[in-house]
Amino acid sequence: MSHIVTIKTEVRDAEAVRAACKRLGLDEPVHGTVRLFSGEATGLLVNLPGWHYHAVADLATGQINFDNYEGQWGEQRHLDAFVQAYALEKAKIEARKRGHSVHEQPLPDGSIKLVIQVAGGVS
């Protein structure tokens, strides 16, 4: 039996942030406070390719603070790829904690199908 799930992503797990960065070939994130164009942000600093400012994952709120000036200081697709990688890695971490096996299948549109094998069936 399979289920299709829609996920609203909140970034709250440091291990999954690190795994997402590694998956995308990004520098390992470090905790810190940085100045964005208008204001400061504290959290795990994610250095996205070509971005003027870090994306900052605030694990307490689950939000990502960033300033890409509507794409002029960083392409949105890089942040979207990070969020996708985070969600994927977080789902894998949680599935494995419960003893389930996980299989990824990249799809032609760039999305990734994640199959979690539960003892006695597929969920």
Side-chain angles (χ1 to χ4, degrees):
M1 182 174 181
S2 66
H3 305 273
I4 295 175
V5 178
T6 301
I7 300 171
K8 178 180 177 188
T9 305
E10 292 185 356
V11 178
R12 294 183 181 271
D13 185 307
E15 179 184 357
V17 170
R18 288 185 186 90
C21 288
K22 183 175 181 180
R23 176 186 193 93
L24 296 173
L26 303 175
D27 295 339
E28 181 160 339
V30 294
H31 189 271
T33 298
V34 292
R35 179 131 185 96
L36 301 178
F37 182 76
S38 56
E40 285 186 342
T42 299
L44 280 179
L45 310 179
V46 177
N47 192 12
L48 297 171
W51 277 52
H52 190 72
Y53 297 104
H54 286 89
V56 183
D58 183 338
L59 303 183
T61 66
Q63 302 297 309
I64 299 175
N65 297 303
F66 65 96
D67 189 349
N68 69 345
Y69 196 48
E70 300 177 359
Q72 294 185 42
W73 295 340
E75 294 180 48
Q76 183 67 35
R77 67 182 174 96
H78 294 298
L79 181 60
D80 295 343
F82 170 75
V83 173
Q84 179 191 45
Y86 172 83
L88 186 67
E89 294 298 334
K90 180 63 177 168
K92 289 168 50 178
I93 289 168
E94 293 303 319
R96 289 182 179 137
K97 282 181 184 174
R98 289 164 178 75
H100 306 317
S101 63
V102 178
H103 174 73
E104 291 182 35
Q105 180 182 357
L107 300 177
D109 67 356
S111 61
I112 301 168
K113 180 178 179 181
L114 186 64
V115 178
I116 299 172
Q117 182 73 40
V118 179
V122 176
S123 66

